[in-house]
Amino acid sequence: MTKRTPIIAGNWKMHNTLAESAALIKGLTENFENKQNAEIIVAPSYTSLAKVAELCKGTAIKVAAQDVHWEDKGAFTSAVSPVQAKDAGATHTIIGHSERRSVFGDTDEILNKKVAAALRHGLTVIFCVGETLAQRETGETLQVIEAQLKNGLKDFTAEQLNGLIIAYEPVWAIGTGKTATPEQAQEVHAAIRQYLATAYGNDFAQATRILYGGSVKDSNVDEIMAKEDVDGALVGGQSLIAEKFRRIINFN
Ligand code: 13P
């Protein structure tokens, strides 16, 4: 079976001034040994993107935008295009985070256009999926996630999606302190991999990293990472605290 390099990614959301961003990068890089050789990604706010990318040069940390617009430029007040994100130093972008879906109204159709825009400019996409509590309670979890994958990634070939990263983030576990159990995560991750195998072939499915997100902490990362189909974590709150994020990167 393919050995997948683990990814530990931090989504800083709407946090950190320039000075706080710089301090956090310093805290993540000074005297740090990346014991698992994990791929490390941080997603700062746009205002800190260029600064963080500059500070991460020559380190193992890669930089992601939290979102990109689907057009390269134009009259889209407040939006940031993939060209701009790349210019600022991003190599990756998150697309379809549940806060984008629920707070900003990103639909599957919009997300599909954003994925296209990111791929057009060579940004690696971290595509997020996840069910709400109501959907879990009515037994719709796997259906919901399959539909998000199907619609969000519509019309792309395996070749185009090469390098894609998926993040499973149950909405009920984000910022709530509630974490999916390792078994719940494994069940959904296995279903996602099965879907990828059916849609894009087994090689693609085996190579794709599937991250878990939702209240990942230094205290629960080990048991989640122990699951076969969990290839990494997308961390919110604890990615803002250097000491916690360092421990998560060095999961056991
Ligand atoms: P928390 O780790 O704060 O629950 O956030 C998860 C998340 O949304 C990462 O994208």
Side-chain angles (χ1 to χ4, degrees), residues 11 13 94 97-99 128 169 173-177 213-216 234-238:
N11 176 7
K13 306 191 180 183
I94 299 173
H97 191 278
S98 80
E99 287 145 22
C128 302
E169 299 206 308
I174 296 176
T176 57
S215 300
V216 173
L234 180 54
V235 187
Q238 287 218 332

Side-chain angles (χ1 to χ4, degrees), residues 29-108:
T29 48
E30 266 183 6
N31 303 316
F32 183 64
E33 188 198 345
N34 179 0
K35 292 184 187 144
Q36 303 285 2
N37 274 320
E39 235 176 277
I40 307 167
I41 302 171
V42 295
S45 295
Y46 294 127
T47 51
S48 292
L49 199 54
K51 171 98 178 175
V52 168
E54 188 65 39
L55 292 171
C56 289
K57 265 191 200 142
T59 76
I61 304 177
K62 294 173 184 162
V63 180
Q66 294 180 12
D67 183 40
V68 289
H69 195 265
W70 61 85
E71 293 288 352
D72 293 355
K73 58 179 164 182
F76 299 100
T77 300
S78 92
V80 169
S81 82
V83 177
Q84 294 171 314
K86 210 175 159 185
D87 181 54
T91 51
H92 293 61
T93 183
I94 299 173
I95 306 254
H97 191 278
S98 80
E99 287 145 22
R100 288 296 323 171
R101 293 176 188 264
S102 66
V103 182
F104 298 99
D106 281 10
T107 60
D108 287 345

